[in-house]
Amino acid sequence: MEIFGSTFDDSVFSEPRERVCESLSSYNAKLCEPEWFCESTALNTDDSLEKQKVFKFRGDLALRQGNYQRALDAYSSCLQWIADNNLTIRRDVLEGMARCYTRLGQREQALELAELLNKDAANTCHLTSLLLLKVSIYQHFGSVGSQMSCLQQLCSLLPFNPWHWFSLGQTYLKLLDNDPNTVASEAVNGEAEENQEGAVELTEDRVWLRACICFIRTRLLLRILRQQQSSFVLQRGEKALQITQEVLQRLNPKETTIQALIEVMSGDLIPEKMREDYQDGESLSSVCLQSFRERWWNRVLLTGVLQTDGPPVKP
């Protein structure tokens, strides 16, 4: 009778095969001078891929240098050389053009390109890039309501990202420094298709509560993620955590309010759900303002914190 595990495969005792090292063909790496694509001779080629690279690099460099018209011209030239199946480069170029239009003060053209990118958004990465682009456009032109709605969608798409919550909280904080009547009017009239919240909802006490919610959520996430961070990432998180603490001291919610908000905003902060494998965001069809309000705002309002607390009296 054989004991389990006492037998071995004959291959264990066979002689190892001799490896034959085949000679590899020599490879000569292409050497490029810094900013080689800026040379006039860089376009002396019939290769469409090379021309695409030249115009793309020229656009990226001009955008980084703040020469937005030159960058826009380079990106526009690049588009005609991009292959139909190269969707990644096409999206990158269109986003660059939208940012150029924004800096040049051409709002409608920037939003048209954003809408074009929206039609082709097929995954979480696409939608994240698109929403960040729209945030920058609306922020540049002062469309507070639309900026808030995009940030809310980002928080729904990536609920465990503290930076989106931090940005949303800072937006509400800025609203508190403005006249409440102006806030309500500006938020409602910003972009009707983007912002579906009524003026009654954006009273000063509700803006104050939403700022508290965002910064408490930010603090919860930063404290959890701090255990996994190091170096400059940890330093950035610690700085944001310090700012968050200072803002909460300024907002000055009661301790009972803080506990109620923590209970609601930490309900989904389960280690298993926060693993990287599960952080691919919500499905694209579910990312909307309605789902955001139902998931957080409405649950907070059910706690009745507005009846027991409110914004501190301004001096």
Side-chain angles (χ1 to χ4, degrees):
M1 183 179 71
E2 293 181 354
I3 301 176
F4 180 75
S6 61
T7 59
F8 299 93
D9 191 280
D10 292 341
S11 62
V12 176
F13 303 100
S14 61
E15 293 292 331
R17 295 181 179 180
E18 294 184 1
R19 296 182 178 180
V20 179
C21 182
E22 299 180 357
S23 59
L24 300 177
S25 58
S26 60
Y27 171 73
N28 296 323
K30 181 180 179 180
L31 300 179
C32 298
E33 296 294 329
E35 300 184 10
W36 59 271
F37 46 85
C38 294
E39 301 293 335
S40 58
T41 56
L43 291 174
N44 294 342
T45 176
D46 296 329
D47 190 342
S48 60
L49 181 58
E50 284 297 313
K51 290 186 177 181
Q52 170 205 298
K53 291 179 181 179
V54 169
F55 286 120
K56 174 66 165 57
F57 293 159
R58 287 181 179 181
D60 291 343
L61 179 62
L63 180 61
R64 183 176 181 180
Q65 293 175 340
N67 194 328
Y68 303 113
Q69 186 59 57
R70 182 190 298 173
L72 183 60
D73 294 340
Y75 285 139
S76 300
S77 299
C78 180
L79 275 179
Q80 62 181 319
W81 298 105
I82 300 177
D84 294 337
N85 61 347
N86 197 343
L87 300 181
T88 301
I89 296 297
R90 181 175 296 276
R91 291 187 65 85
D92 196 24
V93 170
L94 290 176
E95 180 177 338
M97 292 177 66
R99 294 188 183 278
C100 290
Y101 278 126
T102 300
R103 292 293 183 173
L104 292 172
Q106 302 180 40
R107 182 176 185 270
E108 295 304 320
Q109 290 86 338
L111 290 176
E112 285 178 5
L113 290 178
E115 181 59 30
L116 186 60
L117 289 169
N118 184 42
K119 292 179 180 179
D120 296 332
N123 54 49
T124 300
C125 292
H126 289 171
L127 190 54
T128 301
S129 299
L130 171 64
L131 289 171
L132 289 172
L133 171 64
K134 294 173 76 172
V135 166
S136 65
I137 294 174
Y138 291 131
Q139 183 178 21
H140 182 82
F141 291 103
S143 301
V144 180
S146 300
Q147 180 185 349
M148 286 191 300
S149 70
C150 290
L151 287 170
Q152 289 177 16
Q153 292 176 70
L154 278 169
C155 291
S156 292
L157 185 67
L158 299 170
F160 305 130
N161 186 314
W163 304 109
H164 301 325
W165 288 96
F166 186 72
S167 297
L168 182 58
Q170 287 182 317
T171 304
Y172 282 116
L173 196 62
K174 291 179 180 178
L175 291 181
L176 285 176
D177 296 330
N178 297 331
D179 180 71
N181 296 326
T182 303
V183 170
S185 176
E186 188 174 11
V188 172
N189 297 328
E191 289 294 332
E193 70 275 12
E194 293 287 347
N195 183 44
Q196 302 173 7
E197 303 199 43
V200 178
E201 293 187 0
L202 286 177
T203 55
E204 184 180 6
D205 57 344
R206 289 181 179 247
V207 173
W208 171 85
L209 177 60
R210 295 183 179 200
C212 292
I213 290 171
C214 291
F215 283 110
I216 285 178
R217 175 78 173 188
T218 301
R219 185 173 66 179
L220 288 169
L221 290 169
L222 287 175
R223 285 178 174 176
I224 293 175
L225 297 175
R226 180 168 53 182
Q227 304 172 2
Q228 309 169 10
Q229 296 172 340
S230 61
S231 186
F232 66 92
V233 178
L234 178 60
Q235 293 177 7
R236 182 190 180 200
E238 292 292 339
K239 183 177 181 180
L241 188 58
Q242 181 181 354
I243 295 175
T244 300
Q245 294 280 58
E246 294 173 354
V247 170
L248 286 173
Q249 289 179 4
R250 171 189 167 186
L251 294 172
N252 195 27
K254 295 180 180 178
E255 187 61 32
T256 53
T257 299
I258 293 177
Q259 294 304 318
L261 295 182
I262 288 177
E263 183 177 354
V264 173
M265 302 308 293
S266 63
D268 62 334
L269 301 185
I270 303 172
E272 289 74 14
K273 288 186 177 181
M274 295 184 67
R275 288 172 50 194
E276 188 174 352
D277 297 343
Y278 293 89
Q279 293 195 39
D280 195 29
E282 304 284 344
S283 63
L284 301 185
S285 59
S286 69
V287 179
C288 61
L289 296 181
Q290 186 65 31
S291 65
F292 184 87
R293 289 197 296 271
E294 292 176 355
R295 187 169 182 177
W296 284 291
W297 293 158
N298 293 348
R299 291 175 58 193
V300 168
L301 291 177
L302 289 176
T303 63
V305 294
L306 278 180
Q307 282 70 41
T308 60
D309 201 355
V313 179
K314 294 182 179 180

